[in-house]
Amino acid sequence: MTEQFTSYDDMVAQVITTCGPDIRLATILGLGKPNRLINALYDTVKGRSDLSLTIFTALSLNPPEPSSDLETRFLTPFVQRLYGKDFPRLKYADDMKAGRLPENIHVEEFYTQPGSYVKSAQGQQNYNSLNYTEVADALSTKGINVVFQRVSVNETGHYSLSSNTDLTQDVLDRIQQAGQPRPFCVGEVDHNLPWVGGKAVIPSQFFDAIVSVSSTNDRVFALPRQPVNDGDFAIGFYASLLVKDGGTLQIGIGALADALCYALVLRHTDNSLYRKIINALNPDILSSTLVQEFGGCEPFETGVYGCSEMVNEGFRVLVEHGIMKRRVVDNLTLMRKQNTGELSVEEQETVESEGKYLRGGFYLGSPEFYQWIEEQGVQSNTLEMDRIGRINSVTGPDYELEVEQRRHARFMNICMMATPLGGAASETLPDGRVVSGVGGQYNFVSMAADLPEARSVLMFHAARGDNQESNVRWNLSNLTIPRHLRDIYVTEYGIADLRFASDEECIKRMISVSTSGSAASLKETAVAAGKLNASFDVSAIKQQNSPDILESRLSEFRRSGSLIDYPLGSDFTPVEQKLITALQILKRSTSTTAGKLQLIYRALTTQLPDYEEEVSRMSLSEPTSLKEKLTARLLRYALFSSE
């Protein structure tokens, strides 16, 4: 029988009684973490020297924290509005970030909130580099004796793993297969977590204990949608040309994913405008062999099937606009008939009634997105959540079925840097510091090699920062993707198809999509290494591949409102959207002493509008000190500069 608890303290006491003094906790990533229960256990162990706690997890999500006066003025009202005033921050994550984990508590993560532990020695030392599909096997060796997961419940009292079907069941299976005792499994009911049916529903006896605290009413963690700049849009539109009608789509998250999904929406709903934007970027690309053979530019008739470890905002938009509509069923015979156009009327009805056109392992997005998830989860005819062992792998016994379901698969992911020879760094800096984690990226790149018709597409910016430091680097350590798995790279300057290409051809194609400032040096290094003929001409690249040229190509569409900063919607008010741009200008302009002095001079000598709404939102309408008066002036100047 599943034991019921209504108090976190009582639940923690039971965990200690059941597990003994050495508590080894596995808790799911992202939204599936029961924050208050974890915090209660953490606080108890922290205060007792006779206990120890090891936490195995990933993606520990906390609301953003300000690092300056201006950020405090901006973030405090926003965070309270989006997360509520008493959102339970994960204490172990805050303590590890600050380097203050106690000696009797150890935390090991295989994927982190991007950038959260870059400056944390504890976070860096305790990172575990794993492919997503390796996590269940890894945890079966860790002596896990307790599992925590947040669940949703419906009116009939059934439980759903909801946001996280990805790992829990696989972990328990691997532990059993290893001959280890089953961990004590605890579920915390969250009435705000969307209900998802299908494979996410679990029997009541799955958990040994359920804790449900009636006073808890926390909002589901939301991921604010980020602004999309010109470079993001260019990458998204180029990548959209590689999606084939009747195919399969996996995407990551962030501004590049938003830009890609918006481009696909335009391709389907306003094809004339879509082609104009493509032609503005590169008038020759539509006739390229790569686009004609592996992608397209026409609206979607058959539609695509979504199969992604993470379901996010972009998938919602693709479903709502009738792009993601190709249904699949777990029946090899029916899938083969569907792909050859041989389904009978009755079989077609079966596919339409039982098939799904979106499958994922976990989800993460905005409050609006969670409302949509609730609708899809209840209907159970669109979305299916499944184990990560199914989502991120095709090499098991169902390989033939996966081949039929994931036709023309496009795995769209993001990397930080790449080499001209085809390797990619997506999660680790050259000095070894981890920014996020491997997650499922290697899984998807390798699947592109395992599946016929499939392609891996790695998207990244050719350069970063005001000084346009190149992200295409000859020497790059700590690669996430080795160069022998090279496939397609997309930057804001075009598409580089590296699959089956010689080293010299790879170098030529990668230099062609690099930034103008790096083309000559990359060529020089390649020639010196004997990898490139000196006759290769980079003059056109040096003239064309620059932010200014890109801005001019897209300016018409910016002015007309065809390309907006938040194409998939925003969690920020219009005033806050203006402030974000202004604050970014201030941050860039004050990064050096000379820049800061120059900014102050311009702000003090320029006649500026009042910007009453924006200044009031930052609580600077009535400055009381010289510092506040200067800050208000600088803010007005940044707002003026952003127009």
Side-chain angles (χ1 to χ4, degrees):
M1 293 291 292
T2 301
E3 195 169 358
Q4 303 290 325
F5 290 81
T6 59
S7 160
Y8 293 120
D9 289 340
D10 290 345
M11 187 70 259
V12 168
Q14 184 61 51
V15 169
I16 294 171
T17 299
T18 304
C19 300
D22 181 19
I23 302 164
R24 304 181 70 78
L25 168 67
T27 186
I28 207 72
L29 59 80
L31 304 184
K33 283 188 180 61
N35 289 24
R36 290 189 183 274
L37 178 57
I38 295 172
N39 284 347
L41 178 61
Y42 181 78
D43 285 340
T44 298
V45 174
K46 190 175 181 179
R48 290 180 55 175
S49 59
D50 62 320
L51 298 176
S52 65
L53 171 64
T54 303
I55 301 174
F56 300 95
T57 190
L59 197 57
S60 301
L61 298 170
N62 274 333
E65 286 188 299
S67 59
S68 67
D69 175 60
L70 275 174
E71 286 188 8
T72 300
R73 292 172 184 273
F74 179 82
L75 280 176
T76 300
F78 172 74
V79 167
Q80 290 182 0
R81 186 178 76 241
L82 191 64
Y83 302 100
K85 292 185 178 181
D86 60 347
F87 185 89
R89 298 182 62 85
L90 286 163
K91 294 182 179 181
Y92 74 80
D94 281 340
D95 282 355
M96 187 156 72
K97 184 176 181 179
R100 56 172 183 255
L101 280 178
E103 291 185 1
N104 63 334
I105 296 179
H106 175 80
V107 179
E108 198 168 294
E109 294 199 65
F110 72 87
Y111 192 95
T112 72
Q113 193 168 3
S116 57
Y117 300 139
V118 168
K119 297 181 180 179
S120 166
Q122 287 184 333
Q124 292 297 319
Q125 292 163 14
N126 295 331
Y127 168 72
N128 192 333
S129 184
L130 294 169
N131 291 324
Y132 211 159
T133 50
E134 295 178 308
V135 174
D137 286 329
L139 290 184
S140 71
T141 70
K142 300 291 185 177
I144 303 298
N145 53 23
V146 60
V147 172
F148 284 176
Q149 176 150 1
R150 182 179 295 176
V151 298
S152 59
V153 64
N154 66 1
E155 62 279 357
T156 62
H158 289 92
Y159 300 119
S160 169
L161 297 178
S162 184
S163 62
N164 289 86
T165 54
D166 51 335
L167 284 174
T168 301
Q169 296 172 95
D170 280 348
V171 168
L172 294 177
D173 286 350
R174 297 296 192 282
I175 288 174
Q176 181 183 31
Q177 291 163 9
Q180 303 296 323
R182 186 180 190 271
F184 183 56
C185 294
V186 180
E188 181 187 352
V189 171
D190 184 344
H191 294 280
N192 290 327
L193 192 65
W195 171 267
V196 177
K199 293 181 180 179
V201 179
I202 51 175
S204 58
Q205 67 270 24
F206 180 85
F207 290 106
D208 301 298
I210 289 288
V211 57
S212 180
V213 181
S214 58
S215 60
T216 300
N217 191 32
D218 300 320
R219 298 180 189 179
V220 179
F221 183 92
L223 197 66
R225 288 163 282 193
Q226 300 300 308
V228 177
N229 61 34
D230 288 345
D232 300 328
F233 272 124
I235 293 170
F237 273 84
Y238 279 127
S240 71
L241 291 167
L242 301 171
V243 178
K244 199 172 189 67
D245 190 21
T248 306
L249 186 61
Q250 176 268 326
I251 57 175
I253 197 168
L256 293 183
D258 289 356
L260 165 62
C261 291
Y262 178 69
L264 291 172
V265 168
L266 276 192
R267 173 177 159 181
H268 186 63
T269 63
D270 193 342
N271 197 254
S272 175
L273 174 60
Y274 174 78
R275 287 171 178 267
K276 287 180 181 178
I277 295 174
I278 293 294
N279 284 327
L281 290 170
N282 183 345
D284 300 322
I285 198 165
L286 291 179
S287 60
S288 70
T289 301
L290 179 66
V291 171
Q292 292 185 349
E293 182 176 351
F294 290 98
C297 61
E298 300 293 339
F300 295 89
E301 294 184 11
T302 303
V304 298
Y305 159 58
C307 190
S308 183
E309 68 178 34
M310 178 169 58
V311 178
N312 58 37
E313 209 81 37
F315 287 111
R316 172 183 66 85
V317 173
L318 296 180
V319 170
E320 290 177 342
H321 285 85
I323 298 168
M324 192 153 285
K325 60 184 179 181
R326 182 172 75 85
R327 294 185 183 274
V328 303
V329 292
D330 289 338
N331 183 307
L332 180 58
T333 299
L334 288 184
M335 289 306 307
R336 282 175 172 165
K337 284 187 174 183
Q338 181 188 55
N339 292 334
T340 56
E342 299 175 348
L343 286 176
S344 67
V345 173
E346 183 180 356
E347 289 170 333
Q348 182 64 47
E349 290 176 352
T350 298
V351 171
E352 288 300 315
S353 62
E354 299 179 9
K356 305 292 190 298
Y357 44 77
L358 179 55
R359 182 176 277 156
F362 73 97
Y363 62 74
L364 188 60
S366 68
E368 180 184 6
F369 171 73
Y370 297 143
Q371 292 176 7
W372 179 80
I373 286 286
E374 180 80 44
E375 296 169 1
Q376 307 309 310
V378 171
Q379 294 172 5
S380 296
N381 65 349
T382 299
L383 169 68
E384 181 172 76
M385 303 300 289
D386 210 337
R387 303 180 184 210
I388 215 65
R390 172 74 189 279
I391 301 294
N392 283 30
S393 176
V394 295
T395 56
D398 293 325
Y399 175 74
E400 290 183 74
L401 176 63
E402 294 290 354
V403 168
E404 299 297 333
Q405 289 183 338
R406 302 200 209 196
R407 296 206 62 193
H408 303 291
R410 298 294 177 267
F411 302 107
M412 304 280 191
N413 291 287
I414 300 166
C415 65
M416 299 186 299
M417 294 171 279
T419 72
L421 293 172
S426 305
E427 32 77 41
T428 304
L429 298 174
D431 64 4
R433 285 179 298 157
V434 175
V435 176
S436 54
V438 179
Q441 184 170 115
Y442 185 91
N443 296 147
F444 290 118
V445 172
S446 62
M447 272 196 287
D450 292 332
L451 287 169
E453 310 170 320
R455 301 300 300 265
S456 162
V457 181
L458 289 180
M459 304 179 288
F460 73 108
H461 287 277
R464 65 183 182 276
D466 289 342
N467 62 352
Q468 287 290 285
E469 183 178 357
S470 179
N471 285 326
V472 180
R473 299 191 176 190
W474 187 263
N475 293 313
L476 197 56
S477 56
N478 301 310
L479 293 177
T480 310
I481 305 301
R483 75 186 189 100
H484 70 270
L485 287 177
R486 63 193 182 278
D487 202 336
I488 296 174
Y489 284 93
V490 177
T491 77
E492 60 268 47
Y493 303 120
I495 304 172
D497 182 6
L498 307 189
R499 180 180 274 194
F500 306 143
S502 68
D503 279 1
E504 182 177 42
E505 198 57 44
C506 286
I507 294 168
K508 289 179 179 179
R509 294 175 187 181
M510 288 297 284
I511 292 178
S512 295
V513 299
S514 66
T515 188
S516 58
S518 65
S521 62
L522 288 170
K523 173 189 172 180
E524 181 180 345
T525 303
V527 170
K531 305 292 284 188
L532 179 66
N533 192 293
S535 63
F536 179 63
D537 187 7
V538 298
S539 58
I541 301 168
K542 293 168 65 177
Q543 292 173 2
Q544 297 296 322
N545 292 8
S546 73
D548 291 342
I549 297 293
L550 183 62
E551 181 182 1
S552 68
R553 289 174 175 170
L554 297 180
S555 59
E556 170 192 346
F557 308 104
R558 283 289 195 178
R559 288 193 301 269
S560 67
S562 300
L563 300 179
I564 59 176
D565 287 347
Y566 297 88
L568 303 191
S570 177
D571 306 291
F572 302 102
T573 67
V575 168
E576 288 171 342
Q577 292 177 29
K578 293 180 182 178
L579 285 168
I580 288 174
T581 303
L583 293 175
Q584 289 173 338
I585 291 173
L586 284 177
K587 188 171 185 178
R588 290 197 303 267
S589 302
T590 58
S591 60
T592 64
T593 301
K596 188 173 185 178
L597 292 174
Q598 188 177 53
L599 178 70
I600 292 173
Y601 173 78
R602 289 177 178 173
L604 294 176
T605 58
T606 303
Q607 187 173 354
L608 302 171
D610 288 335
Y611 296 109
E612 293 180 6
E613 283 189 282
E614 291 82 2
V615 173
S616 175
R617 167 61 179 78
M618 296 292 285
S619 301
L620 287 168
S621 296
E622 298 179 1
T624 58
S625 66
L626 181 61
K627 179 181 178 181
E628 285 189 345
K629 290 178 181 178
L630 179 59
T631 299
R633 186 73 184 181
L634 292 174
L635 178 63
R636 288 189 177 95
Y637 181 77
L639 287 163
F640 178 74
S641 301
S642 67
E643 293 181 344

